[in-house]
Amino acid sequence: MSATIAEKIFSQRCGRPVRAGEVVMAPVDAAMIHDITGPLAVRVFREMGGERVFDPERIIMLFDHQVPADSIPAAENHVFMRQFAEEQGIHNYDLLEGVCHQVVMEKGRAAPGEIIVGTDSHTCTYGAAGAFATGIGSTDMGFVLKFGALYFRVPESVLVEVEGAFGKRVGAKDLILSLAGDIGADGATYMALEFTGRAMREMSMAGRMTCANMAIEMGAKAGIVQPDAATWDYVAARRDIEPFDLAGDEDAAYAERRRYDVTDLAPQVAVPHNVDNVVDVTKVAGTKVDQVFIGSCTNGRYEDLFEAAEVMGDADRFADGVRVIVIPASRTEYLKALRAGLIERFVEAGALVEAPCCGPCMGGAFGLLAPGEVSLSTSNRNFRGRQGSAQALVYLSSPATAAASALYGEITDPREV
Amino acid sequence: MRVWKFGNDIDTDAIIPGRFLTIYDPAELAKHAFEGTRDEFAKEVREGDVVVGGSNFGCGSSREHAPLALLGAGVKVVVAKSFARIFYRNAVNTGLLPLVSAGAEGIRDGDAVTVNLADGYIEANGKRLPIEPVPGFMKEIVDAGGLVAYAKNLDEVKRCSTE
């Protein structure tokens, strides 16, 4: 019987055909917890009578939201989690490696066909590796820590076929913002987005992660990029695994099929205060910005930093009066950027380059905005109050648009630079 | 009981901003509920008040601090035209009852409201609005009083069973 990728993954993991709409208690292949949502998950695990976690090898623990600890409660959370890791024999990446989703991917902890949960809504990022990955709350995670399984409603899927070739300085982030604008913030609620097509196959793993990352911004449970040779190359370089076919069937019962041609797509910007409030950059060009943030699990990879540096060209300074914060998504990406000379360029141009972490993205640790300030961010959310004051304005864009805007101190079309 | 009415796409950052996520105690979280977006909420909310949203209530983060902040404020029921997936599940798991009602939009701020679960309706300002039943397996969790209570006496789960 024909099936979507999501249905195939649940069927394979359950050992019998499972269809969209069915609610199953499915085993999880990996579970990710971090410093903010982890402590509550551990408390719930204990309240449920949990003594030993289902499998310490399948639990990924790290700290990224408030690192290094920015308050005593944050430091206490870190201590609490370290003690739990030691007690349970869980490997803890601690605060050394970077942002959770980037770390899970680059350590090869996600692979095609797996079911992965994480106590962070952007866990859907691992769909770039062909996994069914979804964000859950801490109580659900307490259950997972104890039982190694969780109830899932197998979702219907929306097939997103992306054709054509991106123009100069237009890429994955522009595609996914454009999609969010079309589908809407709740347009894919309870569903999986399955990405296929030429433009997806030609997209780097970094770009695929950007797309899968933002599936949640349309309400989706998962965003899965159909695995291909590039997926297998990426995963097999990180763990011992044999490739297999995992594609949605031509005649599968997709809830919807959407086709995009990115050839003439302009750089996109999400304007305050909703992610689906998306316009061509030309509509908001000239808007003054106080802060530019290049980083996060959406756009903090080497490719993103490289793109930003490329847009800078031989400019030697960012615009006066603009705070530019650059945060590589992981230690690995930081080192790559450092060795390629990108970090030096950013610092020389006046950027604050911070150690890998979530930074201003979730408004927890630093880089917060004052009332009335305007930020352009490569992260995934521009909710009111997300990056500090509820009276601040957050715009979202690609790294190319962010870099161009940092050069001029106002939102700038990167194609014009 | 009275209504605190909100619009569409109320996100988890609005319910509880990121800078308070090192707090886990519902009563402490409640002090910062809707801080920055509706400051009078934390001060004036009373035990048993009902939060009513439009569509996509609770979109955004997986932070369970959001339903906990509402529970800490004494809110036991949230009514919306539709909910974001993770928030809905977190609410059920923590014992905050999320009720879907197509009529949510017609409810106004400050309306007096009663909830009749047995007969499946809410009554706001004298008008009866039908609510959708909580889906099957989630009903069990609601009836148990949340996922912790549900899981407490469970030794193992039957994998790949269908509920």
Side-chain angles (χ1 to χ4, degrees), chain A residues 14 16 22-23 25 36 39 47 66 77 119-120 134 137-140 146-147 151 186 381 383 386 390, chain B residues 11 13 22 24 36 56 60-64 85-86 89-90 93 147 150 152 154 159-163:
Chain A
C14 280
R16 65 178 171 82
E22 198 174 330
V23 177
M25 178 69 79
I36 294 289
E47 276 178 56
Q66 285 171 308
N77 282 341
T119 45
D120 189 286
T134 194
S138 296
T139 298
D140 269 337
K146 186 173 179 193
F147 297 110
Y151 287 108
D186 62 349
R381 283 186 182 140
F383 298 157
R386 172 83 176 173
Chain B
D11 59 71
D13 283 86
T22 50
Y24 300 99
N56 202 27
S61 166
S62 66
R63 63 185 70 161
E64 217 161 88
R85 180 183 52 81
I86 305 177
R89 200 162 161 141
N90 284 346
N93 286 345
L147 190 62
Y150 178 88
K152 223 172 203 166
L154 214 57
R159 291 194 181 188
C160 294
S161 60
T162 300
E163 291 300 311

Side-chain angles (χ1 to χ4, degrees), chain A residues 279-341:
Chain A
V279 298
D280 283 6
V281 67
T282 51
K283 295 271 192 314
V284 285
T287 307
K288 297 265 179 235
V289 294
D290 300 293
Q291 179 168 301
V292 171
F293 168 45
I294 302 177
S296 87
C297 55
T298 315
N299 279 121
R301 284 169 275 283
Y302 172 78
E303 286 86 341
D304 300 313
L305 304 183
F306 183 84
E307 196 184 356
E310 206 173 51
V311 170
M312 285 169 68
D314 47 18
D316 56 3
R317 291 291 297 175
F318 292 121
D320 286 342
V322 181
R323 302 185 298 280
V324 181
I325 302 175
V326 176
I327 309 185
S330 72
R331 193 159 65 113
T332 306
E333 299 299 284
Y334 193 162
L335 279 168
K336 267 196 265 180
L338 190 67
R339 288 171 182 147

Side-chain angles (χ1 to χ4, degrees), chain A residues 178-196:
Chain A
S178 153
L179 202 62
D182 280 356
I183 292 184
D186 62 349
T189 300
Y190 297 105
M191 299 204 255
L193 297 174
E194 297 187 11
F195 296 95
T196 65

Side-chain angles (χ1 to χ4, degrees), chain B:
Chain B
M1 293 189 284
R2 66 181 172 153
V3 166
W4 290 85
K5 180 67 190 294
F6 293 87
N8 295 334
D9 301 315
I10 296 301
D11 59 71
T12 46
D13 283 86
I15 302 170
I16 186 77
R19 59 191 179 279
F20 302 118
L21 299 187
T22 50
I23 304 171
Y24 300 99
D25 175 24
E28 286 300 311
L29 284 167
K31 292 178 185 168
H32 306 288
F34 293 108
E35 189 166 314
T37 52
R38 195 165 176 189
D39 288 333
E40 77 276 18
F41 180 87
K43 289 185 212 106
E44 295 170 17
V45 66
R46 296 283 172 267
E47 183 77 23
D49 281 358
V50 173
V51 166
V52 180
S55 58
N56 202 27
F57 189 91
C59 60
S61 166
S62 66
R63 63 185 70 161
E64 217 161 88
H65 310 63
L68 291 182
L70 297 183
L71 283 165
V75 173
K76 296 185 179 65
V77 178
V78 181
V79 182
K81 197 176 167 197
S82 64
F83 287 90
R85 180 183 52 81
I86 305 177
F87 180 88
Y88 184 86
R89 200 162 161 141
N90 284 346
V92 167
N93 286 345
T94 53
L96 175 71
L97 190 59
L99 297 177
V100 178
S101 176
E105 275 168 335
I107 303 176
R108 289 167 310 191
D109 204 43
D111 275 358
V113 66
T114 54
V115 177
N116 188 327
L117 281 186
D119 297 323
Y121 68 85
I122 49 176
E123 199 168 302
N125 209 18
K127 254 190 275 177
R128 278 193 183 187
L129 304 167
I131 48 177
E132 289 179 21
V134 177
F137 81 103
M138 292 203 130
K139 183 77 170 46
E140 280 181 52
I141 297 168
V142 168
D143 289 345
L147 190 62
V148 171
Y150 178 88
K152 223 172 203 166
N153 300 313
L154 214 57
D155 291 329
E156 56 179 326
V157 293
K158 203 165 163 248
R159 291 194 181 188
C160 294
S161 60
T162 300
E163 291 300 311

